[in-house]
Amino acid sequence: MKNNKIFLIGLLAMVFLTACNEDVLEYKPEGLLSQADVSTTENLEGLVIAAYAGIANDEMVGPITHQWVYGSVRADDAYKGGGGIGDVDVINRYEMYNLTIPDYGDWMTPKTWVNHYKAISRANFALELINEASEADFPKKTLRQAELRFLRAHSHFMLKLLFKKVPYIVETMTAEEKANATNDMTNDELWNMIADDFLFAYNNLPQSQDEVGRADRSAAAAYLAKLRLYQAYEQNDTHQVTSINPARLQEVIDYADDVTGALEPDFGNNFLDGFDNGSESIWAAQFSINDGTLVSRVSFVTGLNSPNSTELYGCCGFHLASQNMVNAFKTDTNGLPLLDTFNDVDIFDSVDGNGKAPLAPGITLDPRIDHTVGIPGRPFKYRNTVNEAGDMIYNFSWARDPGVYGYFGNMKEQQAPDCSCYVKEGPFVGTSKNVDFIRYADVLLWKAEALIQLNQVSQGIAIINRIRDRAANSTNRPINAGATDVYAIGTYPLTLSKEDALKALKFERRLEFAMEGARFFDLVRWGQAAQVLNGYVAVEKTKRDFLANAQFTAGRDEYYPIPQREIDVTGGLYTQNPGY
């Protein structure tokens, strides 16, 4: 079990939050206590705990923490995987950019919408009662209000990334106002509504909290840096970037400087049990195991994605690294990425008679590839021997449908099956490993991006080089499996042009956050989604037949459709995104 200081969920939350209301915007947890009982200090604290639980009430079919479906498979990082294109076919439709009819066969994004608004309703319900409490009766009133507004902003932010235009629901609205809320506001207006909640948190939270897992000023500063960066890339009604706002970019730098954090010394620490809530974890969904509850509080959001190895894992082989992404980890003689030519020649593109994928002589790699991708013949999750968990060398047979999706696996989100964090429910795998929403590496690269855009290029490159230096020092665990493997990673000269520096920044984000679910949202922010993804598909379909009909439509596919059910329930109050 994790450190008992970790603040997660208590029995009180279980009492309050056992049912859901049909109207998600009016969703109030039902329980056995009267409002007078609920308003006691102890129970108000329980409602705050329940609001934290809401942002991590995740599931495989309506994900709200890890964005492997929406941000990774939807981009050029990964394939859906599984047992062919018909296995969880809605994700195949996302991968084809084929969502022209909202809700037609799409049950995943509507559930994600509902799950986020349930989390928002938990925060609002707690705020309604806490707002009425006196400081004398509830000395932590302002602190808890700040935490709840942070949680509410977090959920609205996640919704905005997916759907762009969403109703902003707060506790001061009447039932009638909630029922008549629309999503008809400008991009800037919605960003600023979300920012107002984060600003309240930023101004009223301590820099850190004794109870690990609670939101603090540092997390609020990080979120404001992220929000202002997205807001800086100003979009028109068809999602095209029309300008970049320098004042917003300066805010990114200022807020990033107010984040307390540090890079983990080894890149792999971020993806291993035992390092949760470390120096690099700025904001994370908290999970636990053996915590006294009936089934523990583990995450199943990536439960479909374990290797298809029945003796070690089980099911179901989803979220597989794309050949394009694997190729991106090649380096040149200076240890730098091949920014323009990385995809000219495939690596690990064949398997020998021993079930291994050899690396051709002369090719050098960024070591982060072996923290990110399962490759036949190479250690999986830093295991290169047979132990009580079995042989942990990644095997070609672990690929469930190599004829369709190839044989590369995902590694970051996996844990070794002998980990004390590991739970298996039938064929599905869950773990108590936290899901990081923001790593300190994120904060550094947001600042680097803002600096470069503001023509402070050398300062931005220096930050990128910090990330690369850490990657170069992340080779101490067993990650390679042969003398032909050569890691070479260098740093960029500080004299790069602005154009080349931006190209380096964008490539670095891809390497650092590969398969963590950030890629698609980065491409949309930069206004490059159509260009990059159609270029990706044009080449990848020559290697993967299932992509033959994939086509990204600019002005539509940058965002998901507003769920049709939500439009119908409101009597047409919500405006549908263009193209749907």
Side-chain angles (χ1 to χ4, degrees):
M1 185 167 66
K2 295 181 182 178
N3 188 312
N4 59 15
K5 288 174 63 180
I6 293 177
F7 164 80
L8 181 62
I9 183 171
L11 294 178
L12 187 60
M14 301 289 289
V15 173
F16 283 126
L17 299 156
T18 56
C20 72
N21 191 305
E22 193 65 22
D23 183 353
V24 69
L25 301 186
E26 263 307 303
Y27 171 74
K28 289 189 178 182
E30 297 176 9
L32 304 177
L33 305 178
S34 69
Q35 183 158 324
D37 291 329
V38 170
S39 297
T40 66
T41 296
E42 180 183 359
N43 292 340
L44 289 176
E45 290 285 8
L47 288 177
V48 178
I49 293 174
Y52 274 96
I55 68 160
N57 273 353
D58 223 334
E59 53 183 323
M60 290 178 280
V61 297
I64 59 174
T65 55
H66 199 296
Q67 300 297 297
W68 72 270
V69 173
Y70 302 135
S72 185
V73 172
R74 182 81 159 158
D76 48 0
D77 270 10
Y79 312 133
K80 172 183 76 70
I85 62 174
D87 191 4
V88 193
D89 62 338
V90 67
I91 306 178
N92 178 69
R93 294 180 63 230
Y94 298 159
E95 194 169 12
M96 299 298 103
Y97 313 110
N98 181 19
L99 290 170
T100 54
I101 305 174
D103 289 9
Y104 179 71
D106 180 7
W107 39 261
M108 187 169 281
T109 54
K111 284 187 71 70
T112 294
W113 173 288
V114 168
N115 286 339
H116 277 303
Y117 274 111
K118 284 184 178 180
I120 290 165
S121 292
R122 289 187 180 204
N124 283 336
F125 181 62
L127 279 165
E128 286 179 33
L129 296 177
I130 288 174
N131 291 348
E132 297 299 317
S134 68
E135 294 279 0
D137 291 336
F138 193 46
K140 293 184 177 181
K141 175 178 178 177
T142 302
L143 175 64
R144 298 301 185 235
Q145 286 172 321
E147 291 178 42
L148 290 164
R149 291 186 65 173
F150 177 96
L151 295 173
R152 180 171 70 191
H154 162 82
S155 294
H156 279 111
F157 187 98
M158 300 293 281
L159 283 163
K160 189 172 189 337
L161 287 186
L162 294 170
F163 301 103
K164 188 174 184 177
K165 300 182 72 169
V166 298
Y168 204 83
I169 308 299
V170 299
E171 87 283 5
T172 55
M173 297 168 70
T174 66
E176 183 178 2
E177 287 171 333
K178 291 176 184 177
N180 291 312
T182 75
N183 68 340
D184 190 16
M185 62 194 80
T186 68
N187 211 32
D188 249 16
E189 286 172 336
L190 183 52
W191 280 130
N192 288 332
M193 287 180 181
I194 301 172
D196 284 345
D197 271 345
F198 281 132
L199 282 166
F200 185 87
Y202 176 78
N203 290 325
N204 290 282
L205 290 173
Q207 191 68 16
S208 62
Q209 298 233 41
D210 291 337
E211 292 178 302
V212 177
R214 286 190 186 268
D216 55 27
R217 179 184 170 94
S218 189
Y223 238 134
L224 282 165
K226 183 175 185 178
L227 184 149
R228 294 309 190 197
L229 182 60
Y230 274 81
Q231 189 176 15
Y233 290 84
E234 297 175 342
Q235 295 182 357
N236 61 19
D237 290 341
T238 56
H239 322 318
Q240 310 310 301
V241 175
T242 57
S243 61
I244 302 175
N245 187 316
R248 295 302 187 199
L249 293 174
Q250 185 58 52
E251 288 187 84
V252 175
I253 296 167
D254 294 341
Y255 284 122
D257 284 341
D258 209 13
V259 176
T260 301
L263 295 175
E264 288 282 356
D266 189 295
F267 180 65
N269 290 1
N270 292 296
F271 316 109
L272 279 175
D273 181 63
F275 293 92
D276 284 345
N277 302 309
S279 61
E280 193 163 342
S281 178
I282 304 302
W283 174 236
Q286 305 287 318
F287 297 97
S288 62
I289 197 168
N290 300 327
D291 52 15
T293 59
L294 292 177
V295 293
S296 296
R297 179 72 175 177
V298 296
S299 169
F300 281 99
V301 67
T302 58
L304 292 171
N305 301 354
S306 62
N308 195 50
S309 168
T310 54
E311 69 275 15
L312 291 176
Y313 286 98
C315 183
C316 294
F318 282 74
H319 193 206
L320 306 181
S322 72
Q323 181 69 61
N324 179 286
M325 198 205 70
V326 169
N327 291 342
F329 286 96
K330 286 184 292 188
T331 57
D332 65 16
T333 54
N334 296 313
L336 293 174
L338 305 173
L339 300 179
D340 298 310
T341 61
F342 74 92
N343 206 36
D344 288 357
V345 178
D346 291 343
I347 58 173
F348 301 117
D349 62 342
S350 62
V351 177
D352 64 22
N354 297 315
K356 298 180 179 181
L359 182 67
I363 292 178
T364 55
L365 300 173
D366 183 318
R368 284 173 290 190
I369 189 172
D370 284 313
H371 296 274
T372 305
V373 184
I375 300 170
R378 301 170 78 83
F380 191 72
K381 217 57 191 178
Y382 317 118
R383 304 293 183 82
N384 60 1
T385 58
V386 177
N387 56 29
E388 61 270 25
D391 187 348
M392 291 293 288
I393 300 297
Y394 190 88
N395 194 289
F396 174 81
S397 66
W398 292 11
R400 185 176 175 192
D401 197 343
V404 176
Y405 296 112
Y407 44 75
F408 298 124
N410 68 73
M411 199 187 313
K412 283 182 175 177
E413 64 204 42
Q414 304 301 325
Q415 300 298 314
D418 60 349
C419 177
S420 61
C421 65
Y422 183 93
V423 168
K424 195 171 179 182
E425 285 288 324
F428 306 119
V429 171
T431 78
S432 59
K433 178 76 177 72
N434 286 355
V435 175
D436 282 312
F437 294 118
I438 299 176
R439 292 201 275 118
Y440 189 63
D442 252 327
V443 179
L444 290 176
L445 290 177
W446 295 332
K447 180 180 178 181
E449 186 174 338
L451 286 167
I452 294 168
Q453 290 285 17
L454 291 173
N455 299 307
Q456 300 172 56
V457 175
S458 62
Q459 294 179 53
I461 290 296
I463 292 174
I464 296 171
N465 286 342
R466 287 178 61 185
I467 303 294
R468 295 185 64 75
D469 283 338
R470 191 267 294 273
N473 292 321
S474 299
T475 60
N476 293 321
R477 291 190 172 95
I479 58 175
N480 69 67
T484 59
D485 296 349
V486 177
Y487 296 124
I489 182 166
T491 55
Y492 290 99
L494 301 182
T495 54
L496 288 181
S497 67
K498 179 179 179 178
E499 179 183 5
D500 288 342
L502 283 173
K503 188 180 294 186
L505 178 282
K506 293 172 181 179
F507 210 90
E508 196 65 27
R509 280 200 59 82
R510 188 180 191 194
L511 297 173
E512 178 71 14
F513 300 104
M515 302 189 80
E516 293 181 52
R519 176 65 170 169
F520 182 80
F521 306 112
D522 282 344
L523 292 173
V524 172
R525 178 175 82 250
W526 297 325
Q528 295 182 317
Q531 172 193 346
V532 170
L533 296 180
N534 281 329
Y536 157 74
V537 166
V539 176
E540 209 76 4
K541 69 175 57 175
T542 67
K543 308 165 188 177
R544 304 285 181 252
D545 291 343
F546 74 92
L547 287 169
N549 296 317
Q551 178 71 33
F552 187 98
T553 300
R556 183 193 72 193
D557 292 330
E558 289 86 354
Y559 296 93
Y560 289 87
I562 306 299
Q564 189 61 45
R565 175 188 177 279
E566 304 302 325
I567 296 175
D568 295 342
V569 165
T570 62
L573 282 175
Y574 297 164
T575 301
Q576 183 56 271
N577 283 324
Y580 295 108

